[in-house]
Amino acid sequence: MEILNDIDGMRLALEWAARGLYTTSPNPRIGCVIVRDGQVIGAGVTQAAGQDHAEVQALANAAARGNDVRGATAYVTLEPCNHHGRTPPCSDALVRAGLGRVVAAMTDPNPLVAGQGLAKLEAAGIAVTTGVLADEAYEMNIGFFSRMQRGKPWVRMKTAASLDGMTALHNGQSQWITGPQARADGHAWRARACAILTGIGTVKADDPQLNVRAVETPRQPRRIVVDSRLDISLDARILQGGGTWIVAAVANPEKEAQLRALGAEVIMLPNAAGKVDLAALMLELGRRQINEVHVEAGSKLNGSLIREGCVDELLVYLAPTLLGDAQGMFALPALTDIKQQRTLQFHQVQQVGEDLRILARFAQRN
């Protein structure tokens, strides 16, 4: 592939970044390609936490292919880091390699970097360009940006419904409203998240595994259950395999011990009403380095999360069918004035199989 300009170079770097969609968290998904005379001489993607970042991978790839990177241009989807974390600074590696130019899509929102990596490159005489395909780079790491800038993850709420907005019959029957392509697509969105969140109502009604099965993934997201009174059954499938976080509001030492014996962790976050403090939960997840949360819950928890301002976007699959009087997507209070309506912006609308996938975003909040 010939790289004719910076757009071409960054677009290819973003393709490499997408290879880390399911693997890099809590680190951002970064791709890097090194180009000389229009030809790619090295490429890489950030590995799992604690392993090489994209820039180091690209330099190693170039060396393995016998390519000299001195004076070449590196395209990287986020500013090279400039601090010692689990790995050394990537900016140092680029300086040592003698790159002639570095093109970064965006500066890093991490306060430990925040322009310092680019400054180090410039100080070493490397030409620096930023802002190339920045919107695409932001979308690739929207959860990382959220955690760095707001201290909490990006929260995506998924629901599947009929065209008249119903998710299940009143007797609970809901399989299947949408088709197999939409269900597989929903699992792909699950896979990219750091955690999947649901409520005790869904666990009791459906006993879901809440893992990724319809697409291949090298790692499973964390599973989280909002369960104020620790009503979860010890036989619930969501507890199988361990690692589940149960978020509660009412202490029950005996049940907590039983859950810990199954490999679960109980997190107590009560609010004044004796329910789980959902806003505090989001901050706690940010503290635990969760970048993206994928919500699959019932209408009650969905409504509570929306009312508390905890949801950033809706991932809605609409089937070309009508269910009539049935269960809705969100349990929200009745409005007394049309001006009270919650507004969103359509970010993406796409047909998936026979169904319609809508990605709609609420206005940004702090």
Side-chain angles (χ1 to χ4, degrees):
M1 176 181 179
E2 186 176 10
I3 304 300
L4 300 178
N5 50 50
D6 287 350
I7 298 294
D8 288 347
M10 192 60 69
R11 185 167 288 121
L12 183 58
L14 285 165
E15 291 179 10
W16 274 84
R19 300 185 183 195
L21 194 63
Y22 305 155
T23 57
T24 66
S25 61
N27 292 331
R29 303 143 178 152
I30 306 300
C32 177
V33 295
I34 302 173
V35 176
R36 181 194 299 283
D37 298 328
Q39 299 301 309
V40 177
I41 61 174
V45 58
T46 294
Q47 303 299 296
Q51 301 179 34
D52 287 344
H53 290 186
E55 299 92 328
V56 174
Q57 282 273 307
L59 291 171
N61 178 252
R65 293 160 61 178
N67 293 324
D68 184 359
V69 302
R70 287 176 296 179
T73 297
Y75 294 93
V76 59
T77 57
L78 193 66
E79 174 186 6
C81 65
N82 187 49
H83 65 290
H84 284 270
R86 293 171 176 167
T87 59
C90 292
S91 54
D92 287 349
L94 294 173
V95 169
R96 287 194 303 270
L99 271 295
R101 181 170 179 247
V102 171
V103 181
M106 304 182 72
T107 57
D108 194 326
N110 188 337
L112 296 175
V113 185
Q116 297 178 53
L118 297 176
K120 177 176 283 189
L121 298 177
E122 290 183 314
I126 298 174
V128 170
T129 300
T130 59
V132 178
L133 297 183
D135 289 344
E136 291 87 339
Y138 172 80
E139 290 293 331
M140 180 69 66
N141 289 301
I142 195 167
F144 179 76
F145 272 80
S146 175
R147 183 165 65 84
M148 288 295 112
Q149 295 172 335
R150 307 187 302 174
K152 55 187 179 181
W154 182 264
V155 179
R156 181 180 298 113
M157 178 177 287
K158 179 259 181 181
T159 187
S162 60
L163 200 57
D164 51 350
M166 300 298 143
T167 62
L169 303 183
H170 285 304
N171 63 12
Q173 187 178 347
S174 63
Q175 295 182 340
W176 297 100
I177 295 175
T178 54
Q181 295 97 327
R183 296 198 296 274
D185 190 71
H187 274 248
W189 285 94
R190 277 188 186 182
R192 69 169 285 166
C194 302
I196 303 173
L197 183 146
T198 194
I200 185 60
T202 297
V203 173
K204 284 183 173 181
D206 301 335
D207 193 22
Q209 297 178 69
L210 220 65
N211 55 12
V212 179
R213 300 182 302 280
V215 298
E216 291 188 12
T217 178
R219 68 104 172 98
Q220 289 287 341
R222 177 80 60 178
R223 294 171 296 177
I224 305 172
V225 181
V226 175
D227 180 9
S228 294
R229 304 183 63 85
L230 291 179
D231 289 330
I232 190 168
S233 167
L234 298 178
D235 296 323
R237 294 199 297 171
I238 201 168
L239 296 174
Q240 294 175 2
T244 303
W245 293 345
I246 312 296
V247 190
V250 180
N252 182 336
E254 181 180 355
K255 188 67 169 288
E256 292 173 45
Q258 292 172 326
L259 289 167
R260 285 196 296 269
L262 294 174
E265 180 182 353
V266 178
I267 303 169
M268 285 290 173
L269 289 173
N271 63 15
K275 301 290 186 181
V276 169
D277 188 329
L278 297 174
L281 171 59
M282 296 307 151
L283 292 174
E284 176 64 16
L285 295 181
R287 188 185 69 80
R288 292 176 179 234
Q289 297 189 308
I290 300 295
N291 290 338
E292 292 184 21
V293 172
H294 180 93
V295 177
E296 290 198 28
S299 62
K300 186 175 180 180
L301 180 56
N302 282 350
S304 295
L305 286 164
I306 291 173
R307 287 197 307 273
E308 294 296 320
C310 296
V311 181
D312 295 299
E313 68 182 358
L314 302 179
L315 175 65
V316 180
Y317 295 89
L318 288 181
T321 185
L322 302 174
L323 293 184
D325 184 14
Q327 298 182 31
M329 291 185 277
F330 319 110
L332 292 169
L335 305 182
T336 58
D337 192 314
I338 196 66
K339 295 178 181 178
Q340 297 170 332
Q341 63 185 312
R342 292 172 173 85
T343 58
L344 302 93
Q345 288 186 331
F346 289 129
H347 180 69
Q348 186 184 87
V349 179
Q350 181 176 336
Q351 186 165 347
V352 179
E354 297 297 317
D355 306 306
L356 195 66
R357 184 185 71 198
I358 299 173
L359 202 63
R361 291 183 175 170
F362 290 96
Q364 283 289 312
R365 305 176 179 87
N366 294 326

